[in-house]
Amino acid sequence: MTSTFFICFLLILLALVISVILTNKIVKIDLQEIRYPEIDGLRGYLAFFVFLHHSYIWRFFLKNGKWEEPKANLFNHFGQTTVAFFFVITAFLFTLKLIHSKNKTIDWRGYITARVYRLFPAYLFSVGIIFFIAGYLTDFKPQVPFSENAVSILSWIFFNVKKGLNINGLEDSFLLNAGVTWTLPYEWAFYFLLPLIALFFKIKVNYKTLLLFTASAALVMVINGASLRHFLPFIGGIIAALVINKGTFSTVLKQKKYTLLAIFLLACSVYFFNSGRKPIPIIITTIAFIIIASGNNFFGILSSAFSRKFGQITYSIYLLHGILLFVLFNFVIGFERAKNLTEFEFWSIIALSVFPLILISQLTFKYIEHPLMEMAKLKLKSASTKS
């Protein structure tokens, strides 16, 4: 990485700060009251790192036509370690719910309904945009047999986005969102495995629910060709929940020296490992997360209103940044012209694209994600009242 890139990286960070501040003035959203504000603050930065990860991949894809993992350790970790953090967070939060539900009856139907309300609306919105772009690029005319299109469309709707699953014959359709949704089947598999995990916490689960959910998890994994190595961060999240629930280290880990320790460990992971998916980087990710979940706000950054508002739109950033990059390089700049961009020009364009990304994500959160989240809460509240 050159000095030119570091200058551009500072410009990108500046663009992020300005974009979040301006967007919150244009599209106002309220902070949600949550138990772990540091985790909410962390999420936004994680999603933004994925955006930088895919921007880097686009840089080289435009030059050599190969979509491959970054050779630069930092940018590879921006993708892989970030995803590991997301998986750790999921397992941590839902394991804590199990721990706090030991003496309660869990409404598994309501739980999975809430997940559908949370994940599907924004995802279907993003897929709708993708289908429209694919239709436009194929002249809105059938290019392949109906059966092939049906399989492809259903696969995209249910998160199974892979190379080769092209929409209406459009080559490399995964480029339309950078194939970012490969993580969602793993999230769903974990959700379906929760009744099984609940047994380890001595929570009673109806055997029909247990069989149905476990079978659903297996089906999701088989259909998506899931790799077991991607479940390691979930184990890290479960361990983190057990540690935090015990409360032994919570007060100690809030100290600033542990912020420096977390940064040091993550820096070691980036320096010594090209991949964030190996056991040692995942262990480091889990340790860093435990420090954050203990209430360590990284010198106030993660718990700030700025970070938390940024963190609330994480899912939209995650889903939409790949689409934005495709539109940018295919329609706005054009592939041929983009190939010849200098390093400074390329990263300057990425910096300029930060504002529309944050603005669009804020809009989708306010008008799609949040209303459906509130609706799910009302349904669960209504169901619990009736029972």
Side-chain angles (χ1 to χ4, degrees):
M1 289 179 284
T2 65
S3 58
T4 301
F5 168 75
F6 284 107
I7 293 171
C8 293
F9 189 69
L10 291 176
L11 288 175
I12 292 169
L13 292 180
L14 179 62
L16 174 63
V17 173
I18 293 172
S19 298
V20 173
I21 292 172
L22 285 179
T23 299
N24 279 297
K25 291 183 179 295
I26 298 169
V27 185
K28 295 183 179 180
I29 58 174
D30 297 323
L31 280 176
Q32 307 296 305
E33 292 300 322
I34 57 171
R35 186 174 179 181
Y36 297 97
E38 295 82 12
I39 295 176
D40 216 28
L42 172 66
R43 280 174 167 149
Y45 296 104
L46 294 178
F48 192 71
F49 291 155
V50 177
F51 166 63
L52 295 179
H53 169 77
H54 285 126
S55 297
Y56 188 92
I57 291 175
W58 265 102
R59 172 69 171 151
F60 289 91
F61 174 76
L62 289 167
K63 289 184 173 295
N64 59 30
K66 295 179 181 179
W67 188 268
E68 53 191 7
E69 294 176 348
K71 291 181 173 59
N73 284 17
L74 177 63
F75 281 93
N76 213 21
H77 280 272
F78 275 168
Q80 295 182 2
T81 295
T82 289
V83 167
F85 264 114
F86 279 132
F87 288 169
V88 169
I89 290 171
T90 294
F92 170 78
L93 293 175
F94 282 95
T95 301
L96 276 184
K97 287 185 179 181
L98 291 181
I99 292 171
H100 298 151
S101 301
K102 276 189 176 181
N103 300 318
K104 300 177 184 177
T105 301
I106 299 176
D107 178 8
W108 292 107
R109 181 178 177 182
Y111 147 75
I112 209 69
T113 300
R115 289 292 84 201
V116 170
Y117 273 82
R118 179 66 187 94
L119 295 180
F120 265 95
Y123 178 72
L124 292 178
F125 172 75
S126 73
V127 168
I129 297 172
I130 289 168
F131 286 170
F132 178 82
I133 294 173
Y136 176 81
L137 293 174
T138 54
D139 300 318
F140 294 106
K141 295 177 181 177
Q143 305 294 328
V144 294
F146 174 79
S147 59
E148 186 176 328
N149 254 340
V151 170
S152 179
I153 289 170
L154 285 173
S155 295
W156 274 78
I157 289 174
F158 290 102
F159 311 120
N160 187 18
V161 181
K162 296 178 181 177
K163 290 184 181 181
L165 281 172
N166 297 325
I167 305 169
N168 199 28
L170 180 66
E171 188 176 354
D172 293 333
S173 292
F174 75 93
L175 290 175
L176 294 171
N177 71 347
V180 73
T181 53
W182 71 267
T183 61
L184 295 180
Y186 288 95
E187 295 270 355
W188 275 104
F190 181 79
Y191 299 149
F192 284 125
L193 285 172
L194 271 181
L196 184 62
I197 297 171
L199 296 178
F200 291 92
F201 294 96
K202 298 179 181 179
I203 297 172
K204 291 182 179 180
V205 182
N206 180 287
Y207 78 93
K208 289 183 179 178
T209 299
L210 183 64
L211 288 175
L212 178 62
F213 274 59
T214 305
S216 297
L219 185 63
V220 168
M221 287 188 277
V222 169
I223 289 175
N224 290 278
S227 172
L228 292 179
R229 68 173 178 169
H230 292 307
F231 286 95
L232 287 176
F234 290 107
I235 296 173
I238 293 171
I239 293 170
L242 294 170
V243 171
I244 296 299
N245 184 65
K246 197 170 183 181
T248 306
F249 307 107
S250 294
T251 303
V252 176
L253 293 179
K254 289 181 182 179
Q255 297 176 35
K256 292 180 180 179
K257 63 183 178 181
Y258 290 101
T259 302
L260 298 176
L261 174 62
I263 294 171
F264 173 74
L265 288 174
L266 290 171
C268 287
S269 183
V270 170
Y271 184 81
F272 290 108
F273 298 92
N274 179 253
S275 172
R277 295 171 180 162
K278 294 178 180 179
I280 292 178
I282 289 173
I283 291 170
I284 289 174
T285 298
T286 302
I287 293 171
F289 176 78
I290 289 172
I291 292 172
I292 294 169
S294 295
N296 192 311
N297 56 27
F298 274 46
F299 307 113
I301 294 173
L302 298 182
S303 59
S304 67
F306 173 92
S307 296
R308 289 180 61 196
K309 285 189 176 182
F310 179 36
Q312 286 182 171
I313 62 173
T314 295
Y315 189 47
S316 286
I317 293 174
Y318 190 77
L319 290 177
L320 298 176
H321 77 269
I323 299 173
L324 178 68
L325 289 171
F326 181 85
V327 170
L328 181 65
F329 294 121
N330 188 73
F331 296 112
V332 179
I333 300 172
F335 281 168
E336 290 304 316
R337 187 180 173 191
K339 285 180 183 178
N340 300 314
L341 291 172
T342 64
E343 187 175 21
F344 181 79
E345 289 171 337
F346 178 87
W347 290 108
S348 296
I349 288 169
I350 294 300
L352 290 173
S353 70
V354 172
F355 178 72
L357 174 62
I358 301 300
L359 178 61
I360 295 168
S361 297
Q362 190 107 329
L363 287 167
T364 54
F365 174 81
K366 183 170 184 176
Y367 295 109
I368 298 177
E369 289 188 66
H370 187 254
L372 272 295
M373 289 163 61
E374 292 301 308
M375 189 182 297
K377 288 178 184 177
L378 288 173
K379 282 183 173 291
L380 285 174
K381 189 175 181 180
S382 174
S384 62
T385 303
K386 290 178 181 178
S387 60

